[in-house]
């Protein structure tokens, strides 16, 4: 893959869709497609060439619920059929597969894709390869988030100096990795937790009528967790100043639901309140575990990835607050615009070596996304609605 001049597409996209990566100098057909099949979602990465009038092409990102894996495989089969006539003679089509589903569904993939070479790749290696690509090659990819700032999203400079760092990958469960360099032996899984996106999804499926994870996130926007959570102020009547606990701090998630001698019914509580409480509970727990591991291993850079986040402002702000609170401001939570497709992207890139970019950009001079918004929860919508393609200096 030729990643010289790679950038994030700024065309208009629907909510929760992942933006294409523009590759203006990739003028050779790419024969591989990649899929990362997790416990809840399957993520696909594939390349299409531009029209004859335009050079280069795009990396596309798509996801399916793993429960509908047949739809996912059918989509891959259609992509392979469409691209078959473009593949040079003697070069076979390849599906790079990673995640647990690469093993679980290997036979199904091979049977549904006759003539396609299905290659399994290590999940953690792909995750790190994908993250490295986005951090070192894609401008306006990584950012911090703080809803109290005038500009809640603060983008990080694209850099090759990214080590050491910690990546907290939040899927159905959570894996925490320490990465000290680009080599195959320079990373390790240092921790994790079973309380992840699958936990939130499962509990909200029991307690609300939401039909999808995106529905659950939308419901939570209108909720007030103080109606179900027991707050510090409910116990002390004010801040607990001696230990730095504000009255608005959660003392016990769902602590107001229990009433002695009363059998509670979930219908007595607002679905939005329940959703907000559970989102805070899971996110706060992940944030605290992430901080403790970063402290133990002396790491300052903490990246959060996985489809759990989905660019959701409440989720990002909760994780950011947890890291900032526990570290006393010494650490920052870092997020990614392609958070859910790190593994699939890494698998895609493993097919052939990456041609390194020349780093001859001046995007900060030519384009600065407008992240000003009166309502911080809509800041990403405002950014993603910007209709502009980022281009390197020599492509003006």
């Amino acid at each position: 893959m030729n990643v010289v001049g790679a950038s994030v597409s700024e065309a208009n996209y629907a909510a929760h869709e992942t933006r294409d990566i523009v590759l203006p100098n990739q003028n050779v057909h790419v024969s591989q497609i990649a899929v990362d099949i997790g416990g809840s979602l399957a993520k696909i990465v594939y390349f299409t060439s531009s029209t004859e009038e335009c050079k280069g092409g795009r990396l596309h990102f798509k996801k399916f619920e793993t429960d509908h894996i047949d739809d996912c495989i059918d989509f891959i089969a259609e992509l392979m059929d469409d691209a078959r006539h473009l593949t040079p003679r003697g070069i076979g089509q390849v599906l790079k597969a990673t995640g647990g589903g690469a093993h679980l569904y290997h036979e199904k993939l091979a049977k549904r894709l006759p003539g396609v070479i299905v290659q399994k790749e290590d999940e953690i290696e792909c995750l790190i390869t994908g993250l490295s690509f986005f951090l070192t090659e894609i401008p306006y990819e990584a950012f911090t988030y703080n809803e109290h700032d005038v500009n809640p999203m603060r983008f990080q400079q694209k850099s090759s100096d990214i080590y050491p760092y910690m990546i907290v990958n939040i899927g159905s469960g959570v894996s925490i990795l320490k990465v000290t360099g680009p080599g195959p032996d320079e990373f390790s899984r240092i921790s994790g937790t079973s309380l992840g996106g699958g936990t939130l999804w499962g509990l909200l499926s029991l307690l609300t009528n939401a039909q999808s994870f995106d529905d659950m996130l939308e419901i939570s926007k209108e909720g007030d967790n103080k109606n179900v959570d027991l707050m510090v102020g409910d116990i002390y009547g004010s801040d607990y100043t001696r230990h730095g606990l504000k009255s608005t701090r959660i003392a016990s998630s769902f602590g107001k639901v229990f009433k002695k001698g009363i059998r509670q019914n979930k219908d007595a509580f607002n679905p939005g309140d329940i959703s907000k409480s559970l989102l805070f509970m899971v996110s706060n727990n992940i944030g605290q575990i992430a901080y403790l591991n970063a402290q133990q291993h002396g790491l300052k850079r903490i990246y959060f990835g996985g489809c759990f986040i989905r660019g959701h402002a409440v989720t990002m702000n909760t994780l950011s607050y947890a890291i900032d609170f526990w570290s006393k401001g010494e650490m920052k939570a870092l997020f990614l615009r392609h958070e859910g497709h790190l593994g699939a992207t890494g698998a895609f890139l493993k097919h052939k070596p990456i041609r390194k970019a020349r780093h001859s950009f001046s995007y900060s001079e030519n384009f600065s996304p407008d992240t000003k918004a009166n309502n911080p929860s809509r800041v990403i919508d405002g950014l993603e609605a910007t209709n502009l393609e980022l281009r390197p200096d020599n492509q003006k």
Side-chain angles (χ1 to χ4, degrees):
M1 292 294 298
N2 186 338
V3 298
V4 174
S7 64
V8 180
S9 171
E10 296 299 330
N12 291 324
Y13 288 78
H16 304 301
E17 284 191 3
T18 304
R19 296 181 159 273
D20 295 347
I21 297 292
V22 180
L23 297 171
N25 294 293
Q26 176 60 35
N27 298 317
V28 178
H29 172 68
V30 177
S31 61
Q32 80 270 22
I33 293 171
V35 61
D36 175 9
I37 308 176
S40 301
L41 296 171
K43 290 75 66 176
I44 299 172
V45 174
Y46 63 99
F47 175 85
T48 60
S49 298
S50 298
T51 61
E52 294 182 2
E53 294 78 12
C54 301
K55 292 183 179 181
R58 289 169 176 258
L59 277 181
H60 303 273
F61 306 88
K62 191 172 180 63
K63 62 179 180 289
F64 290 83
E65 292 182 12
T66 305
D67 284 346
H68 303 296
I69 191 64
D70 289 331
D71 293 338
C72 174
I73 298 175
D74 287 345
F75 181 78
I76 294 172
E78 291 176 8
L79 291 176
M80 291 292 188
D81 288 341
D82 291 342
R84 189 161 286 123
H85 70 283
L86 298 173
T87 305
R89 188 183 296 265
I91 299 179
Q93 291 182 302
V94 175
L95 176 67
K96 306 291 282 188
T98 189
H103 304 272
L104 184 63
Y105 298 109
H106 184 266
E107 290 187 10
K108 183 185 285 283
L109 289 166
K111 183 177 181 180
R112 181 67 179 85
L113 303 168
V116 175
I117 302 170
V118 181
Q119 297 178 341
K120 292 178 285 188
E121 295 288 346
D122 181 77
E123 181 176 2
I124 293 180
E125 288 185 6
C126 289
L127 175 70
I128 294 170
T129 298
L131 177 57
S132 177
F133 168 74
F134 287 114
L135 293 179
T136 61
E137 306 293 352
I138 308 300
Y140 294 106
E141 174 66 32
F143 60 93
T144 59
Y145 188 86
N146 185 342
E147 68 178 7
H148 299 297
D149 288 347
V150 176
N151 297 320
M153 295 177 71
R154 297 293 180 92
F155 285 92
Q156 305 294 293
Q157 292 293 322
K158 178 168 63 73
S159 172
S160 58
D161 181 22
I162 61 175
Y163 305 104
Y165 66 80
M166 192 173 80
I167 170 68
V168 182
N169 194 50
I170 312 173
S172 299
V174 181
S175 286
I176 301 178
L177 311 172
K178 175 184 178 180
V179 184
T180 57
D185 299 321
E186 295 181 278
F187 68 85
S188 60
R189 187 181 189 276
I190 56 176
S191 188
T193 173
S194 61
L195 302 181
T199 308
L200 181 63
W201 198 338
L203 290 173
L204 287 178
S205 295
L206 288 172
L207 299 175
T208 74
N209 295 321
Q211 298 298 308
S212 71
F213 195 44
D214 291 334
D215 288 343
M216 296 170 189
L217 292 180
E218 289 301 316
I219 291 173
S220 72
K221 289 181 180 179
E222 306 302 324
D224 185 351
N225 69 297
K226 292 190 295 295
N227 292 326
V228 292
D229 291 344
L230 188 67
M231 315 302 288
V232 169
D234 295 323
I235 300 173
Y236 289 94
S238 63
D239 296 345
Y240 191 3
T241 54
R242 181 176 180 180
H243 294 286
L245 297 175
K246 294 183 178 180
S247 62
T248 54
R249 180 81 176 167
I250 298 173
S252 174
S253 297
F254 273 67
K256 286 181 180 174
V257 174
F258 174 76
K259 302 292 183 183
K260 189 174 181 180
I262 299 177
R263 175 65 178 176
Q264 294 284 24
N265 188 315
K266 67 180 181 64
D267 294 332
F269 298 90
N270 184 287
D273 300 343
I274 293 173
S275 299
K276 181 68 73 66
S277 174
L278 283 172
L279 182 61
F280 280 157
M281 182 181 74
V282 174
S283 299
N284 276 321
N285 184 65
I286 294 171
Q288 185 172 12
I289 292 173
Y291 158 72
L292 290 172
N293 278 277
Q295 182 189 49
Q296 181 180 11
H297 291 271
L299 301 171
K300 298 296 184 182
R301 294 189 184 101
I302 307 175
Y303 292 98
F304 288 90
C307 284
F308 172 81
I309 300 170
R310 272 176 169 76
H312 189 243
V314 173
T315 305
M316 292 189 295
N317 200 67
T318 303
L319 291 169
S320 295
Y321 179 84
I323 297 298
D324 183 72
F325 177 84
W326 291 111
S327 71
K328 295 180 172 59
E330 293 184 3
M331 303 175 189
K332 296 292 183 184
L334 294 157
F335 304 99
L336 302 143
R337 296 174 78 181
H338 293 82
E339 65 220 346
H341 289 80
L342 303 181
T345 302
F348 184 90
L349 295 171
K350 277 182 170 291
H351 185 56
K352 290 181 180 178
I354 304 172
R355 177 179 169 186
K356 298 299 290 181
R358 293 190 298 267
H359 303 296
S360 57
F361 304 96
S362 60
Y363 289 106
S364 59
E365 299 173 8
N366 297 322
F367 176 77
S368 179
D370 181 9
T371 58
K372 296 179 180 179
N374 292 328
N375 181 358
S377 68
R378 296 190 55 80
V379 67
I380 289 186
D381 293 338
L383 171 69
E384 308 297 35
T386 306
N387 190 11
L388 178 66
E389 299 287 358
L390 300 179
R391 295 292 182 186
D393 292 339
N394 60 6
Q395 295 291 319
K396 293 179 181 178

